[in-house]
Amino acid sequence: MASRRNIAMALTAATLIAGTIAAPAAFAGTTTAQAYTCHYYESGTGVYGYAGYYTGNTVIPSSTGVSSSGIEAQCLLKKVGFDPGTIDGVFGTKSKTAAKAFQSYVNDRSGYPVMTVDGIVGSETWPNLRYYAAMYIY
């Protein structure tokens, strides 16, 4: 009887170990997103705002997978009052709509086209998004 229990425990342990080793491979390349928390702060000069996921101004957030630039852009859009939906890092339709609204807002406020209204957060939009976010951090 003791040997059956030992065999059962060994099989259970082997199954758990195999599942643990195989699990990361099963999720590799997934586009499944989770909700992220934004941690806002300003640059040392107080000119630009950040949310703790991406500090650059060139990477365009992905619409097909989770990216740090996607999380950052969604956080900053939310901070400045343009709802990107769930902060999940996937820059989908709702995030692009929020980005377009932000781009239009900045252009209207400036009185001339500062950036293309295309819903893409790229090298034209990042600095403006960071600038406006810094105004709303505190």
Side-chain angles (χ1 to χ4, degrees), residues 22-70:
F27 294 104
T30 185
T31 58
T32 303
Q34 65 178 7
Y36 291 89
T37 303
C38 304
H39 305 283
Y40 301 105
Y41 64 95
E42 291 179 348
S43 63
T45 60
V47 176
Y48 294 112
Y50 298 88
Y53 292 95
Y54 169 69
T55 58
N57 285 323
T58 57
V59 174
I60 297 171
S62 172
S63 62
T64 60
V66 177
S67 67
S68 57
S69 61

Side-chain angles (χ1 to χ4, degrees), residues 76-100:
L76 296 180
L77 284 165
K78 182 177 179 181
K79 190 66 172 173
V80 298
F82 297 90
D83 183 15
T86 303
I87 308 298
D88 60 7
V90 179
F91 213 75
T93 304
K94 195 161 187 179
S95 296
K96 287 181 182 177
T97 299
K100 282 182 184 179

